[in-house]
PDB file of all heavy atoms in Angstrom:
ATOM      1  N   ASN A 222       8.623 -89.825  50.651  1.00  0.00           N
ATOM      2  CA  ASN A 222       8.807 -88.424  51.017  1.00  0.00           C
ATOM      3  C   ASN A 222      10.297 -88.131  51.224  1.00  0.00           C
ATOM      4  O   ASN A 222      10.940 -88.770  52.053  1.00  0.00           O
ATOM      5  CB  ASN A 222       8.023 -88.131  52.305  1.00  0.00           C
ATOM      6  CG  ASN A 222       7.979 -86.656  52.652  1.00  0.00           C
ATOM      7  OD1 ASN A 222       8.950 -85.930  52.487  1.00  0.00           O
ATOM      8  ND2 ASN A 222       6.834 -86.214  53.166  1.00  0.00           N
ATOM      9  N   PRO A 223      10.869 -87.171  50.490  1.00  0.00           N
ATOM     10  CA  PRO A 223      12.305 -86.889  50.647  1.00  0.00           C
ATOM     11  C   PRO A 223      12.679 -86.414  52.044  1.00  0.00           C
ATOM     12  O   PRO A 223      13.844 -86.510  52.425  1.00  0.00           O
ATOM     13  CB  PRO A 223      12.566 -85.799  49.596  1.00  0.00           C
ATOM     14  CG  PRO A 223      11.236 -85.225  49.267  1.00  0.00           C
ATOM     15  CD  PRO A 223      10.246 -86.329  49.444  1.00  0.00           C
ATOM     16  N   GLY A 224      11.718 -85.917  52.805  1.00  0.00           N
ATOM     17  CA  GLY A 224      11.994 -85.474  54.165  1.00  0.00           C
ATOM     18  C   GLY A 224      11.925 -86.582  55.193  1.00  0.00           C
ATOM     19  O   GLY A 224      12.175 -86.352  56.381  1.00  0.00           O
ATOM     20  N   PHE A 225      11.603 -87.805  54.741  1.00  0.00           N
ATOM     21  CA  PHE A 225      11.442 -88.922  55.686  1.00  0.00           C
ATOM     22  C   PHE A 225      12.689 -89.783  55.811  1.00  0.00           C
ATOM     23  O   PHE A 225      12.769 -90.636  56.694  1.00  0.00           O
ATOM     24  CB  PHE A 225      10.251 -89.799  55.274  1.00  0.00           C
ATOM     25  CG  PHE A 225       8.908 -89.229  55.650  1.00  0.00           C
ATOM     26  CD1 PHE A 225       8.780 -87.916  56.073  1.00  0.00           C
ATOM     27  CD2 PHE A 225       7.762 -90.009  55.585  1.00  0.00           C
ATOM     28  CE1 PHE A 225       7.537 -87.376  56.415  1.00  0.00           C
ATOM     29  CE2 PHE A 225       6.519 -89.499  55.935  1.00  0.00           C
ATOM     30  CZ  PHE A 225       6.411 -88.187  56.346  1.00  0.00           C
ATOM     31  N   LEU A 226      13.651 -89.604  54.898  1.00  0.00           N
ATOM     32  CA  LEU A 226      14.941 -90.308  54.958  1.00  0.00           C
ATOM     33  C   LEU A 226      14.794 -91.826  55.087  1.00  0.00           C
ATOM     34  O   LEU A 226      15.544 -92.489  55.809  1.00  0.00           O
ATOM     35  CB  LEU A 226      15.800 -89.762  56.109  1.00  0.00           C
ATOM     36  CG  LEU A 226      16.066 -88.251  56.108  1.00  0.00           C
ATOM     37  CD1 LEU A 226      17.093 -87.901  57.184  1.00  0.00           C
ATOM     38  CD2 LEU A 226      16.518 -87.751  54.747  1.00  0.00           C
ATOM     39  N   TYR A 227      13.826 -92.380  54.345  1.00  0.00           N
ATOM     40  CA  TYR A 227      13.622 -93.833  54.357  1.00  0.00           C
ATOM     41  C   TYR A 227      14.521 -94.461  53.306  1.00  0.00           C
ATOM     42  O   TYR A 227      14.468 -94.094  52.132  1.00  0.00           O
ATOM     43  CB  TYR A 227      12.160 -94.174  54.071  1.00  0.00           C
ATOM     44  CG  TYR A 227      11.892 -95.664  53.976  1.00  0.00           C
ATOM     45  CD1 TYR A 227      11.805 -96.438  55.129  1.00  0.00           C
ATOM     46  CD2 TYR A 227      11.737 -96.297  52.738  1.00  0.00           C
ATOM     47  CE1 TYR A 227      11.558 -97.803  55.048  1.00  0.00           C
ATOM     48  CE2 TYR A 227      11.495 -97.660  52.653  1.00  0.00           C
ATOM     49  CZ  TYR A 227      11.414 -98.407  53.814  1.00  0.00           C
ATOM     50  OH  TYR A 227      11.182 -99.763  53.742  1.00  0.00           O
ATOM     51  N   GLN A 228      15.347 -95.412  53.719  1.00  0.00           N
ATOM     52  CA  GLN A 228      16.260 -96.087  52.797  1.00  0.00           C
ATOM     53  C   GLN A 228      16.375 -97.561  53.145  1.00  0.00           C
ATOM     54  O   GLN A 228      16.144 -97.959  54.290  1.00  0.00           O
ATOM     55  CB  GLN A 228      17.644 -95.424  52.845  1.00  0.00           C
ATOM     56  CG  GLN A 228      18.335 -95.491  54.186  1.00  0.00           C
ATOM     57  CD  GLN A 228      19.598 -94.641  54.282  1.00  0.00           C
ATOM     58  OE1 GLN A 228      19.652 -93.519  53.802  1.00  0.00           O
ATOM     59  NE2 GLN A 228      20.623 -95.191  54.913  1.00  0.00           N
ATOM     60  N   GLN A 229      16.720 -98.353  52.121  1.00  0.00           N
ATOM     61  CA  GLN A 229      16.935 -99.782  52.349  1.00  0.00           C
ATOM     62  C   GLN A 229      18.317 -99.988  52.990  1.00  0.00           C
ATOM     63  O   GLN A 229      19.086 -99.048  53.215  1.00  0.00           O
ATOM     64  CB  GLN A 229      16.825-100.552  51.042  1.00  0.00           C
ATOM     65  CG  GLN A 229      15.583-101.413  50.935  1.00  0.00           C
ATOM     66  CD  GLN A 229      15.582-102.601  51.910  1.00  0.00           C
ATOM     67  OE1 GLN A 229      16.540-102.878  52.636  1.00  0.00           O
ATOM     68  NE2 GLN A 229      14.485-103.335  51.910  1.00  0.00           N
ATOM     69  N   ASN A 230      18.627-101.245  53.278  1.00  0.00           N
ATOM     70  CA  ASN A 230      19.796-101.587  54.084  1.00  0.00           C
ATOM     71  C   ASN A 230      20.401-102.860  53.510  1.00  0.00           C
ATOM     72  O   ASN A 230      19.770-103.917  53.528  1.00  0.00           O
ATOM     73  CB  ASN A 230      19.312-101.805  55.524  1.00  0.00           C
ATOM     74  CG  ASN A 230      20.420-101.733  56.546  1.00  0.00           C
ATOM     75  OD1 ASN A 230      21.227-102.643  56.620  1.00  0.00           O
ATOM     76  ND2 ASN A 230      20.443-100.681  57.338  1.00  0.00           N
ATOM     77  N   THR A 231      21.628-102.750  52.988  1.00  0.00           N
ATOM     78  CA  THR A 231      22.258-103.865  52.280  1.00  0.00           C
ATOM     79  C   THR A 231      23.484-104.385  53.040  1.00  0.00           C
ATOM     80  O   THR A 231      23.803-103.928  54.132  1.00  0.00           O
ATOM     81  CB  THR A 231      22.708-103.423  50.874  1.00  0.00           C
ATOM     82  OG1 THR A 231      23.788-102.468  51.028  1.00  0.00           O
ATOM     83  CG2 THR A 231      21.571-102.784  50.099  1.00  0.00           C
ATOM     84  N   ILE A 232      24.198-105.291  52.374  1.00  0.00           N
ATOM     85  CA  ILE A 232      25.460-105.783  52.929  1.00  0.00           C
ATOM     86  C   ILE A 232      26.466-104.649  53.077  1.00  0.00           C
ATOM     87  O   ILE A 232      27.314-104.664  53.978  1.00  0.00           O
ATOM     88  CB  ILE A 232      26.021-106.916  52.035  1.00  0.00           C
ATOM     89  CG1 ILE A 232      25.177-108.188  52.207  1.00  0.00           C
ATOM     90  CG2 ILE A 232      27.471-107.220  52.379  1.00  0.00           C
ATOM     91  CD1 ILE A 232      25.257-108.831  53.585  1.00  0.00           C
ATOM     92  N   ARG A 233      26.384-103.629  52.227  1.00  0.00           N
ATOM     93  CA  ARG A 233      27.235-102.449  52.407  1.00  0.00           C
ATOM     94  C   ARG A 233      27.046-101.861  53.800  1.00  0.00           C
ATOM     95  O   ARG A 233      28.018-101.465  54.463  1.00  0.00           O
ATOM     96  CB  ARG A 233      26.920-101.394  51.349  1.00  0.00           C
ATOM     97  CG  ARG A 233      27.610-100.052  51.596  1.00  0.00           C
ATOM     98  CD  ARG A 233      27.435 -99.061  50.457  1.00  0.00           C
ATOM     99  NE  ARG A 233      26.061 -98.664  50.221  1.00  0.00           N
ATOM    100  CZ  ARG A 233      25.699 -97.692  49.369  1.00  0.00           C
ATOM    101  NH1 ARG A 233      26.628 -97.033  48.669  1.00  0.00           N
ATOM    102  NH2 ARG A 233      24.425 -97.399  49.185  1.00  0.00           N
ATOM    103  N   ASP A 234      25.804-101.807  54.271  1.00  0.00           N
ATOM    104  CA  ASP A 234      25.533-101.262  55.600  1.00  0.00           C
ATOM    105  C   ASP A 234      26.087-102.162  56.704  1.00  0.00           C
ATOM    106  O   ASP A 234      26.508-101.676  57.759  1.00  0.00           O
ATOM    107  CB  ASP A 234      24.031-101.056  55.777  1.00  0.00           C
ATOM    108  CG  ASP A 234      23.497-100.023  54.809  1.00  0.00           C
ATOM    109  OD1 ASP A 234      23.697 -98.828  55.054  1.00  0.00           O
ATOM    110  OD2 ASP A 234      22.909-100.420  53.785  1.00  0.00           O
ATOM    111  N   ALA A 235      26.094-103.469  56.451  1.00  0.00           N
ATOM    112  CA  ALA A 235      26.718-104.383  57.403  1.00  0.00           C
ATOM    113  C   ALA A 235      28.213-104.107  57.513  1.00  0.00           C
ATOM    114  O   ALA A 235      28.803-104.193  58.598  1.00  0.00           O
ATOM    115  CB  ALA A 235      26.476-105.828  56.986  1.00  0.00           C
ATOM    116  N   MET A 236      28.840-103.753  56.377  1.00  0.00           N
ATOM    117  CA  MET A 236      30.263-103.399  56.399  1.00  0.00           C
ATOM    118  C   MET A 236      30.492-102.118  57.206  1.00  0.00           C
ATOM    119  O   MET A 236      31.439-102.027  57.995  1.00  0.00           O
ATOM    120  CB  MET A 236      30.786-103.212  54.977  1.00  0.00           C
ATOM    121  CG  MET A 236      30.715-104.441  54.069  1.00  0.00           C
ATOM    122  SD  MET A 236      31.658-105.864  54.676  1.00  0.00           S
ATOM    123  CE  MET A 236      30.339-106.815  55.436  1.00  0.00           C
ATOM    124  N   ILE A 237      29.618-101.127  57.015  1.00  0.00           N
ATOM    125  CA  ILE A 237      29.722 -99.890  57.792  1.00  0.00           C
ATOM    126  C   ILE A 237      29.581-100.195  59.277  1.00  0.00           C
ATOM    127  O   ILE A 237      30.372 -99.724  60.111  1.00  0.00           O
ATOM    128  CB  ILE A 237      28.638 -98.879  57.360  1.00  0.00           C
ATOM    129  CG1 ILE A 237      28.868 -98.418  55.927  1.00  0.00           C
ATOM    130  CG2 ILE A 237      28.614 -97.680  58.303  1.00  0.00           C
ATOM    131  CD1 ILE A 237      27.726 -97.578  55.365  1.00  0.00           C
ATOM    132  N   ALA A 238      28.570-100.979  59.624  1.00  0.00           N
ATOM    133  CA  ALA A 238      28.314-101.284  61.034  1.00  0.00           C
ATOM    134  C   ALA A 238      29.476-102.043  61.663  1.00  0.00           C
ATOM    135  O   ALA A 238      29.962-101.680  62.745  1.00  0.00           O
ATOM    136  CB  ALA A 238      27.018-102.074  61.174  1.00  0.00           C
ATOM    137  N   GLY A 239      29.932-103.096  61.016  1.00  0.00           N
ATOM    138  CA  GLY A 239      30.995-103.916  61.599  1.00  0.00           C
ATOM    139  C   GLY A 239      32.288-103.148  61.793  1.00  0.00           C
ATOM    140  O   GLY A 239      32.919-103.228  62.857  1.00  0.00           O
ATOM    141  N   THR A 240      32.701-102.383  60.761  1.00  0.00           N
ATOM    142  CA  THR A 240      33.957-101.636  60.882  1.00  0.00           C
ATOM    143  C   THR A 240      33.842-100.517  61.918  1.00  0.00           C
ATOM    144  O   THR A 240      34.766-100.290  62.709  1.00  0.00           O
ATOM    145  CB  THR A 240      34.375-101.038  59.526  1.00  0.00           C
ATOM    146  OG1 THR A 240      33.302-100.248  58.997  1.00  0.00           O
ATOM    147  CG2 THR A 240      34.729-102.130  58.541  1.00  0.00           C
ATOM    148  N   THR A 241      32.703 -99.809  61.935  1.00  0.00           N
ATOM    149  CA  THR A 241      32.536 -98.699  62.876  1.00  0.00           C
ATOM    150  C   THR A 241      32.527 -99.199  64.310  1.00  0.00           C
ATOM    151  O   THR A 241      33.163 -98.607  65.201  1.00  0.00           O
ATOM    152  CB  THR A 241      31.245 -97.922  62.571  1.00  0.00           C
ATOM    153  OG1 THR A 241      31.276 -97.458  61.221  1.00  0.00           O
ATOM    154  CG2 THR A 241      31.094 -96.731  63.506  1.00  0.00           C
ATOM    155  N   LEU A 242      31.822-100.282  64.556  1.00  0.00           N
ATOM    156  CA  LEU A 242      31.772-100.828  65.916  1.00  0.00           C
ATOM    157  C   LEU A 242      33.143-101.327  66.357  1.00  0.00           C
ATOM    158  O   LEU A 242      33.516-101.180  67.532  1.00  0.00           O
ATOM    159  CB  LEU A 242      30.727-101.941  66.001  1.00  0.00           C
ATOM    160  CG  LEU A 242      29.273-101.473  65.839  1.00  0.00           C
ATOM    161  CD1 LEU A 242      28.338-102.658  65.713  1.00  0.00           C
ATOM    162  CD2 LEU A 242      28.849-100.571  66.991  1.00  0.00           C
ATOM    163  N   ASN A 243      33.922-101.900  65.431  1.00  0.00           N
ATOM    164  CA  ASN A 243      35.291-102.296  65.787  1.00  0.00           C
ATOM    165  C   ASN A 243      36.129-101.078  66.166  1.00  0.00           C
ATOM    166  O   ASN A 243      36.927-101.124  67.110  1.00  0.00           O
ATOM    167  CB  ASN A 243      35.946-103.029  64.614  1.00  0.00           C
ATOM    168  CG  ASN A 243      35.494-104.475  64.496  1.00  0.00           C
ATOM    169  OD1 ASN A 243      35.008-105.065  65.457  1.00  0.00           O
ATOM    170  ND2 ASN A 243      35.645-105.043  63.316  1.00  0.00           N
ATOM    171  N   ILE A 244      35.952 -99.983  65.427  1.00  0.00           N
ATOM    172  CA  ILE A 244      36.681 -98.753  65.753  1.00  0.00           C
ATOM    173  C   ILE A 244      36.296 -98.267  67.144  1.00  0.00           C
ATOM    174  O   ILE A 244      37.159 -97.914  67.965  1.00  0.00           O
ATOM    175  CB  ILE A 244      36.399 -97.665  64.691  1.00  0.00           C
ATOM    176  CG1 ILE A 244      37.043 -98.051  63.358  1.00  0.00           C
ATOM    177  CG2 ILE A 244      36.917 -96.302  65.153  1.00  0.00           C
ATOM    178  CD1 ILE A 244      36.597 -97.185  62.181  1.00  0.00           C
ATOM    179  N   PHE A 245      35.009 -98.250  67.430  1.00  0.00           N
ATOM    180  CA  PHE A 245      34.560 -97.818  68.763  1.00  0.00           C
ATOM    181  C   PHE A 245      35.137 -98.719  69.855  1.00  0.00           C
ATOM    182  O   PHE A 245      35.611 -98.233  70.894  1.00  0.00           O
ATOM    183  CB  PHE A 245      33.037 -97.832  68.841  1.00  0.00           C
ATOM    184  CG  PHE A 245      32.345 -96.804  67.992  1.00  0.00           C
ATOM    185  CD1 PHE A 245      31.004 -96.957  67.645  1.00  0.00           C
ATOM    186  CD2 PHE A 245      33.013 -95.676  67.534  1.00  0.00           C
ATOM    187  CE1 PHE A 245      30.353 -96.009  66.875  1.00  0.00           C
ATOM    188  CE2 PHE A 245      32.366 -94.724  66.746  1.00  0.00           C
ATOM    189  CZ  PHE A 245      31.035 -94.896  66.418  1.00  0.00           C
ATOM    190  N   ASN A 246      35.087-100.028  69.633  1.00  0.00           N
ATOM    191  CA  ASN A 246      35.635-100.967  70.620  1.00  0.00           C
ATOM    192  C   ASN A 246      37.105-100.661  70.902  1.00  0.00           C
ATOM    193  O   ASN A 246      37.536-100.603  72.057  1.00  0.00           O
ATOM    194  CB  ASN A 246      35.513-102.406  70.116  1.00  0.00           C
ATOM    195  CG  ASN A 246      34.100-102.934  70.150  1.00  0.00           C
ATOM    196  OD1 ASN A 246      33.205-102.326  70.727  1.00  0.00           O
ATOM    197  ND2 ASN A 246      33.885-104.083  69.518  1.00  0.00           N
ATOM    198  N   ASN A 247      37.863-100.465  69.830  1.00  0.00           N
ATOM    199  CA  ASN A 247      39.308-100.267  69.978  1.00  0.00           C
ATOM    200  C   ASN A 247      39.670 -98.919  70.579  1.00  0.00           C
ATOM    201  O   ASN A 247      40.813 -98.718  71.006  1.00  0.00           O
ATOM    202  CB  ASN A 247      39.991-100.441  68.615  1.00  0.00           C
ATOM    203  CG  ASN A 247      39.978-101.888  68.142  1.00  0.00           C
ATOM    204  OD1 ASN A 247      40.058-102.819  68.941  1.00  0.00           O
ATOM    205  ND2 ASN A 247      39.848-102.087  66.838  1.00  0.00           N
ATOM    206  N   HIS A 248      38.708 -97.990  70.630  1.00  0.00           N
ATOM    207  CA  HIS A 248      38.929 -96.681  71.253  1.00  0.00           C
ATOM    208  C   HIS A 248      38.012 -96.493  72.466  1.00  0.00           C
ATOM    209  O   HIS A 248      37.651 -95.372  72.814  1.00  0.00           O
ATOM    210  CB  HIS A 248      38.708 -95.574  70.232  1.00  0.00           C
ATOM    211  CG  HIS A 248      39.733 -95.552  69.146  1.00  0.00           C
ATOM    212  ND1 HIS A 248      40.981 -94.970  69.306  1.00  0.00           N
ATOM    213  CD2 HIS A 248      39.721 -96.067  67.883  1.00  0.00           C
ATOM    214  CE1 HIS A 248      41.676 -95.116  68.190  1.00  0.00           C
ATOM    215  NE2 HIS A 248      40.931 -95.781  67.312  1.00  0.00           N
ATOM    216  N   SER A 249      37.695 -97.603  73.114  1.00  0.00           N
ATOM    217  CA  SER A 249      36.734 -97.553  74.222  1.00  0.00           C
ATOM    218  C   SER A 249      37.306 -96.930  75.488  1.00  0.00           C
ATOM    219  O   SER A 249      36.585 -96.771  76.476  1.00  0.00           O
ATOM    220  CB  SER A 249      36.197 -98.958  74.525  1.00  0.00           C
ATOM    221  OG  SER A 249      37.260 -99.881  74.740  1.00  0.00           O
ATOM    222  N   ASP A 250      38.585 -96.558  75.472  1.00  0.00           N
ATOM    223  CA  ASP A 250      39.113 -95.790  76.593  1.00  0.00           C
ATOM    224  C   ASP A 250      38.512 -94.395  76.615  1.00  0.00           C
ATOM    225  O   ASP A 250      38.329 -93.812  77.691  1.00  0.00           O
ATOM    226  CB  ASP A 250      40.641 -95.700  76.529  1.00  0.00           C
ATOM    227  CG  ASP A 250      41.141 -95.150  75.201  1.00  0.00           C
ATOM    228  OD1 ASP A 250      40.406 -95.227  74.192  1.00  0.00           O
ATOM    229  OD2 ASP A 250      42.284 -94.660  75.165  1.00  0.00           O
ATOM    230  N   ARG A 251      38.168 -93.845  75.448  1.00  0.00           N
ATOM    231  CA  ARG A 251      37.576 -92.501  75.396  1.00  0.00           C
ATOM    232  C   ARG A 251      36.132 -92.529  74.897  1.00  0.00           C
ATOM    233  O   ARG A 251      35.299 -91.756  75.340  1.00  0.00           O
ATOM    234  CB  ARG A 251      38.419 -91.598  74.499  1.00  0.00           C
ATOM    235  CG  ARG A 251      37.957 -90.164  74.394  1.00  0.00           C
ATOM    236  CD  ARG A 251      38.046 -89.384  75.701  1.00  0.00           C
ATOM    237  NE  ARG A 251      39.383 -88.909  76.010  1.00  0.00           N
ATOM    238  CZ  ARG A 251      39.650 -88.043  76.992  1.00  0.00           C
ATOM    239  NH1 ARG A 251      38.669 -87.544  77.733  1.00  0.00           N
ATOM    240  NH2 ARG A 251      40.898 -87.686  77.252  1.00  0.00           N
ATOM    241  N   VAL A 252      35.829 -93.418  73.946  1.00  0.00           N
ATOM    242  CA  VAL A 252      34.460 -93.523  73.427  1.00  0.00           C
ATOM    243  C   VAL A 252      33.637 -94.371  74.399  1.00  0.00           C
ATOM    244  O   VAL A 252      33.878 -95.562  74.553  1.00  0.00           O
ATOM    245  CB  VAL A 252      34.435 -94.152  72.025  1.00  0.00           C
ATOM    246  CG1 VAL A 252      32.998 -94.265  71.514  1.00  0.00           C
ATOM    247  CG2 VAL A 252      35.276 -93.324  71.058  1.00  0.00           C
TER     248      VAL A 252
END
C-alpha cells in the first residue's frame, strides 16, 4: 500500500543512522 510507507533497510540506512547520530552527539549542547 503506497500509504503505508513500508520500505526495506540496507547498509545505506546504516550510513544515514551512524552519521546522523554522530551529528546529534556533537551538537548535544542544544540537541
Side-chain angles (χ1 to χ4, degrees):
N222 189 321
F225 282 12
L226 305 188
Y227 176 77
Q228 62 189 41
Q229 251 292 355
N230 198 288
T231 67
I232 288 293
R233 171 173 63 172
D234 296 283
M236 298 300 99
I237 294 172
T240 55
T241 303
L242 292 171
N243 281 339
I244 291 169
F245 292 160
N246 287 349
N247 290 326
H248 292 279
S249 53
D250 54 338
R251 182 65 80 170
V252 179

